[in-house]
Amino acid sequence: MAIAKLARKVKRPYGLWVKMTAVTMLGLCFIFVWGVFSNSSSSITTQRESFEDIIEPSSSSSTSSKGVQTQTQLPHKKEETKAEEKQNFGGVSNKEKDVLGEDEKKGNSSATVPPEHDKGVAPHKRVHKNDRDKDKVRANEVSESDGNDESEDKEEKEESEGELEGEKEGSDRDGEVGVDFEMDDGGDSGLAESLDQDSKLFEDGGVGTSKGQFKGPLFDPNASYKWKSCSTRSKHNYIPCIDIEVGGGKVQSYRHTERSCPRAPVMCLVPLPHGGYGYSQPWPESKSKILFKNVAHPRLAAYMKKHSWLVESGEYLTFPQNQSEFKGGIQHYLESIEEMVPDIEWGKNIRVVLEIGCSDSSFVAALLDKDVLTLTLGLKHDLVDLAQVALERGFPAVVSPFERRRLPFPSQAFDAIHCGGCSIPWHSNGGKLMFEMNRILRPSGYFIMSTKHDSIEEEEAMTSLTASICWNVLAHKSDDVGEVGVKIYQKPEGNEIYELRRKKIPPLCKESENPDAAWYVRMKSCLHSIPIGIEQHGAEWPEQWPKRLESYPDWISNKEKLVADMNHWNAVVNRSYLNGLGINWPSIRNVMDMKTIYGGFAAALSWSQPNVWVMNVVSVHAPDTLPIIFERGLIGVYHDWCESFGTYPRTYDLLHADHLFSRLKNRCKQPVSIVVEMDRMLRPGGWSIIRDKVEILNPLEEILRSMKWEIRMTFAQDKEGILCAQKTIWRP
């Protein structure tokens, strides 16, 4: 009956409206059900494939500027890009022929490339080479330690409440999506295959989240970029994750107490110094003099008036020989140390040293003559910018806060640690700073500290602290000439001495505590057990230098891969890099390997280019191979390239990126910011060697061109390619 009544109503004049209403309701129900049960991954992919969210910077000077505007190219432009793709990576494109012709007519004007950097520069050309690189590490491992005690949790909570607004938490740094590691390697290589097998083990336990893994291009091939200069408080010396860019004039200092990156990736280009920029002195001239305008700073000018070891001489900043912070000279200081502990054989027994706090680098320079590689830790409160001076001179240095979080090094890494003219309150905060030194110092390693005769209370506190961690005082000498007291401590070589302590304070760390976890991990109030088994790194002292570069300790399980990695990079460096790219290697001093595994690239350069030092960077989302690098007598740090690196602008001569971008695929919020960071770190006239997928290198080349970099060489084969580019002095 009800159906019959409804049928009669439908036949009435207003029945059409009933029909339309019913159809509409059914349609809305279908859309709702479809939205609930359908997969949303396609929408996520669409968001990540677009870079239209890159906007111009705000006018406020209190925040970090995003100085790039992205525009979508016209449809016909896309067709031209596809048509020229083969030319761009198979030889010289039409555009490049025009550029090359202009350069030949102009004679490679020094307006962009200085004469000393232009020597031996090859034009944009095709290079035939058999040694293509392979994807190395595709793993994802972030080691965050657990087992924090209640007091540390309370401290962390209080600290987070007092942090500045611009601070990011670990969950933000790791990204909102999983990592896509599906790569297509062309050709076959035993090294690549073996490394791929290793990577699968890490992929199974990677950070793929429930939000989904997805594929997509790293760079938008249809985007164009317009760059602007950064407008920041620290101006031409801007270090994004170290310098404060919030709070305006209310904040007296311009450095964070802890590493803290801007919420949005930095998308602006750091300007040149106010007085202009002069191309850096080549090594070894830079050891004794540098251009003052490259490192000019008001605090540095005031600092120079009180210290005689750096002198302004015309346009240069000079460093008189044997002049240093240590009265009597650095040679006298080193001789005193050798007399106190003859077992310290610089350059043989002691190869890798950490210098806490940057001064005049005389200690670093003197040890370099003895074949010792010393890494200087520029502290966040070093407002004189002496770490920048050290890098300009050609000495290894990183800038990092040193207060509550661990330093970006593995455990048992350094043969010796030096703190000259040390004013660090090691006993404060429960002695955690000293516990951190104990973590990164190799068993039986040396801690050398020189202090002026100031406070008896501080000296007693230091004595009590070192006794609690069982450091042995090997020698103590008061130098009347240098007016300093020098103490040399030695870390124990076994755990037996820990058990003999009456008071087990500080306690031993839990077994679950990973001593190598260092990225955004808080310092612990405990001592890590000393490795005793041959399967643990640090259990035995390494071979003397240079034998340790080619030694393979028992704790390295896959020695074949290390040998293959070494042979691979020896072939690539000698056959391609040294002769095939047009780089003037005598002008290269500071080098960074942005994605290393075993340090093979650094080892190959150390043999062929002894004047070069390499900063090896191991991703925090890759297998932890940094202990192997230190074991070989090389240096490096942990880092996440979705953030800025701890160094001053214009401090590296060459950046090497082996499949870096393909490994960061879809993980960083704006991958273009990595290119911006490369521009910040590289000196004008500096070089970049990038090896990756052709689908990545094609749009990357256009990004570099938008920054006015000179593309010197491109080559591709089997979907893999290499791009060599040189940064110019252009700024927006």
Side-chain angles (χ1 to χ4, degrees):
M1 294 294 292
I3 296 175
K5 290 181 179 179
L6 180 62
R8 286 195 296 269
K9 290 181 180 180
V10 169
K11 293 180 180 179
R12 296 176 182 176
Y14 56 84
L16 178 63
W17 297 103
V18 175
K19 291 180 182 180
M20 293 179 63
T21 303
V23 171
T24 302
M25 292 180 65
L26 288 174
L28 292 174
C29 293
F30 177 79
I31 293 173
F32 174 78
V33 173
W34 177 266
V36 171
F37 294 100
S38 64
N39 190 356
S40 62
S41 61
S42 61
S43 64
I44 298 178
T45 304
T46 302
Q47 293 173 8
R48 287 295 178 177
E49 289 181 353
S50 174
F51 283 87
E52 294 178 354
D53 57 338
I54 304 176
I55 59 176
E56 290 186 2
S58 60
S59 59
S60 175
S61 60
S62 63
T63 58
S64 176
S65 297
K66 302 175 187 176
V68 60
Q69 181 179 5
T70 306
Q71 300 175 345
T72 305
Q73 296 178 349
L74 297 176
H76 70 272
K77 186 70 176 180
K78 181 177 181 180
E79 295 177 0
E80 293 177 3
T81 304
K82 290 183 177 179
E84 292 181 358
E85 181 175 311
K86 293 183 180 179
Q87 294 179 358
N88 287 346
F89 282 91
V92 183
S93 66
N94 294 332
K95 291 181 181 179
E96 290 153 4
K97 287 180 181 178
D98 296 339
V99 174
L100 182 58
E102 292 177 3
D103 286 345
E104 288 176 350
K105 292 177 183 179
K106 295 179 181 179
N108 288 334
S109 173
S110 60
T112 22
V113 182
E116 62 269 26
H117 286 78
D118 191 40
K119 294 179 181 178
V121 171
H124 186 74
K125 63 180 182 179
R126 176 171 180 163
V127 175
H128 298 278
K129 55 196 260 344
N130 298 324
D131 300 300
R132 280 184 305 101
D133 86 62
K134 298 297 179 181
D135 295 329
K136 298 268 190 292
V137 178
R138 295 181 291 183
N140 193 322
E141 180 187 29
V142 182
S143 49
E144 288 287 345
S145 72
D146 50 8
N148 293 346
D149 54 30
E150 295 181 358
S151 61
E152 290 177 344
D153 291 338
K154 184 177 180 181
E155 288 180 7
E156 186 171 1
K157 182 178 180 181
E158 292 175 353
E159 177 192 357
S160 62
E161 291 175 352
E163 290 272 309
L164 293 171
E165 185 180 355
E167 174 116 17
K168 289 197 314 178
E169 298 301 328
S171 59
D172 296 332
R173 292 188 302 273
D174 293 341
E176 297 180 354
V177 297
V179 184
D180 173 28
F181 289 117
E182 293 186 16
M183 307 301 298
D184 181 16
D185 291 318
D188 53 358
S189 170
L191 172 63
E193 292 175 359
S194 62
L195 290 175
D196 288 347
Q197 292 174 0
D198 252 10
S199 300
K200 291 178 181 178
L201 299 176
F202 288 90
E203 286 184 38
D204 294 340
V207 262
T209 66
S210 58
K211 297 184 180 179
Q213 295 182 348
F214 60 89
K215 300 178 182 179
L218 188 71
F219 303 112
D220 184 359
N222 299 321
S224 61
Y225 301 91
K226 293 182 180 180
W227 301 99
K228 293 186 178 181
S229 295
C230 298
S231 177
T232 57
R233 297 181 65 198
S234 45
K235 301 177 182 177
H236 58 279
N237 285 341
Y238 182 39
I239 309 177
C241 294
I242 303 295
D243 296 344
I244 296 175
E245 294 305 326
V246 294
K250 297 180 181 179
V251 181
Q252 296 298 323
S253 173
Y254 66 85
R255 296 274 166 85
H256 286 296
T257 57
E258 293 291 350
R259 180 179 175 86
S260 178
C261 298
R263 290 185 180 275
V266 176
M267 297 297 294
C268 57
L269 304 186
V270 176
L272 297 177
H274 300 303
Y277 181 83
Y279 292 99
S280 301
Q281 297 295 301
W283 184 267
E285 284 80 5
S286 63
K287 193 175 179 180
S288 57
K289 69 175 183 179
I290 59 176
L291 283 170
F292 180 58
K293 64 181 180 180
N294 288 357
V295 296
H297 190 277
R299 292 179 182 265
L300 179 61
Y303 184 84
M304 290 168 51
K305 297 178 181 179
K306 302 178 181 179
H307 299 83
S308 61
W309 52 266
L310 68 171
V311 179
E312 185 177 1
S313 178
E315 61 177 345
Y316 295 102
L317 189 62
T318 61
F319 307 89
Q321 189 174 7
N322 204 29
Q323 292 290 321
S324 71
E325 283 279 87
F326 307 101
K327 294 185 178 180
I330 187 61
Q331 294 301 329
H332 171 76
Y333 180 71
L334 287 180
E335 290 172 1
S336 298
I337 293 175
E338 293 171 338
E339 290 176 1
M340 295 164 65
V341 183
D343 288 342
I344 296 181
E345 298 182 75
W346 301 116
K348 294 182 180 179
N349 216 23
I350 303 297
R351 163 64 182 175
V352 183
V353 176
L354 179 66
E355 167 82 343
I356 300 295
C358 188
S359 58
D360 62 337
S361 301
S362 63
F363 181 80
V364 178
L367 286 184
L368 187 64
D369 295 335
K370 298 178 180 292
D371 224 2
V372 175
L373 189 59
T374 306
L375 175 61
T376 297
L377 180 68
L379 304 179
K380 60 91 186 173
H381 52 71
D382 174 24
L383 299 181
V384 185
D385 296 329
L386 291 176
Q388 185 183 31
V389 174
L391 286 161
E392 186 72 15
R393 294 180 67 182
F395 301 133
V398 291
V399 181
S400 174
F402 183 41
E403 191 160 319
R404 291 185 177 89
R405 292 176 183 154
R406 289 179 173 179
L407 297 173
F409 309 117
S411 64
Q412 337 292 338
F414 294 96
D415 305 334
I417 299 176
H418 177 256
C419 187
C422 203
S423 59
I424 296 177
W426 297 104
H427 58 280
S428 64
N429 196 19
K432 287 185 178 180
L433 299 181
M434 185 58 72
F435 301 156
E436 176 65 2
M437 295 294 97
N438 186 77
R439 183 186 71 87
I440 64 177
L441 184 62
R442 187 179 296 276
S444 298
Y446 303 96
F447 183 85
I448 306 169
M449 183 178 68
S450 64
T451 56
K452 295 183 178 180
H453 310 294
D454 291 333
S455 173
I456 298 178
E457 292 78 9
E458 289 186 2
E459 188 171 340
E460 290 178 350
M462 183 65 179
T463 300
S464 176
L465 177 60
T466 53
S468 69
I469 61 177
C470 303
W471 280 13
N472 182 31
V473 181
L474 293 181
H476 180 200
K477 181 179 180 181
S478 296
D479 191 344
D480 295 332
V481 177
E483 298 182 358
V484 295
V486 181
K487 274 190 177 182
I488 301 178
Y489 301 89
Q490 187 175 33
K491 180 180 175 179
E493 61 180 355
N495 296 305
E496 297 82 6
I497 194 170
Y498 293 151
E499 301 299 328
L500 297 177
R501 296 179 301 168
R502 292 183 179 179
K503 296 181 179 180
K504 302 299 188 292
I505 301 176
L508 293 180
C509 299
K510 298 178 181 179
E511 293 183 0
S512 60
E513 175 73 40
N514 182 8
D516 295 327
W519 190 247
Y520 284 91
V521 175
R522 294 176 61 84
M523 297 178 186
K524 308 299 177 183
S525 299
C526 61
L527 300 177
H528 288 283
S529 299
I530 295 175
I532 54 176
I534 61 174
E535 71 281 357
Q536 296 177 289
H537 74 271
E540 296 180 354
W541 196 271
E543 297 283 348
Q544 288 191 347
W545 179 262
K547 188 178 179 180
R548 68 188 285 181
L549 188 61
E550 301 180 78
S551 64
Y552 312 112
D554 294 330
W555 57 268
I556 299 178
S557 57
N558 298 313
K559 300 178 183 179
E560 298 80 9
K561 295 178 182 178
L562 198 153
V563 174
D565 180 75
M566 182 177 63
N567 293 337
H568 167 73
W569 286 113
N570 276 335
V572 170
V573 168
N574 291 309
R575 296 178 187 176
S576 301
Y577 287 4
L578 297 184
N579 301 311
L581 301 183
I583 297 175
N584 180 29
W585 284 98
S587 67
I588 303 298
R589 171 63 181 172
N590 302 353
V591 177
M592 176 184 288
D593 192 359
M594 300 178 68
K595 191 191 77 65
T596 189
I597 302 180
Y598 299 122
F601 170 70
L605 277 186
S606 67
W607 285 317
S608 59
Q609 301 293 319
N611 289 334
V612 167
W613 67 269
V614 180
M615 177 64 73
N616 295 281
V617 180
V618 172
S619 172
V620 296
H621 298 280
D624 185 9
T625 56
L626 194 53
I628 298 177
I629 292 171
F630 276 95
E631 187 78 14
R632 302 184 69 185
L634 305 172
I635 58 174
V637 295
Y638 296 114
H639 188 60
D640 180 358
W641 282 114
C642 293
E643 299 184 2
S644 179
F645 190 82
T647 190
Y648 282 90
R650 305 171 300 279
T651 48
Y652 281 89
D653 302 308
L654 187 145
L655 301 178
H656 181 253
D658 173 34
H659 285 78
L660 170 71
F661 293 96
S662 57
R663 294 307 175 221
L664 295 174
K665 194 173 184 180
N666 297 328
R667 198 176 66 77
C668 301
K669 292 181 179 178
Q670 292 183 356
V672 181
S673 64
I674 306 171
V675 189
V676 175
E677 177 65 2
M678 294 174 68
D679 181 89
R680 188 188 72 88
M681 295 189 298
L682 200 60
R683 290 170 173 169
W687 295 79
S688 181
I689 304 174
I690 305 171
R691 307 165 69 95
D692 224 303
K693 301 287 181 184
V694 172
E695 64 188 25
I696 290 175
L697 294 181
N698 277 330
L700 178 60
E701 180 178 351
E702 295 306 314
I703 296 173
L704 294 177
R705 289 185 186 278
S706 71
M707 295 178 173
K708 302 298 186 290
W709 284 32
E710 297 288 343
I711 308 300
R712 295 299 180 181
M713 190 278 296
T714 58
F715 172 71
Q717 182 180 0
D718 297 335
K719 299 182 181 180
E720 299 282 338
I722 181 172
L723 186 154
C724 182
Q726 188 177 25
K727 178 183 172 181
T728 66
I729 205 166
W730 176 84
R731 293 288 89 180

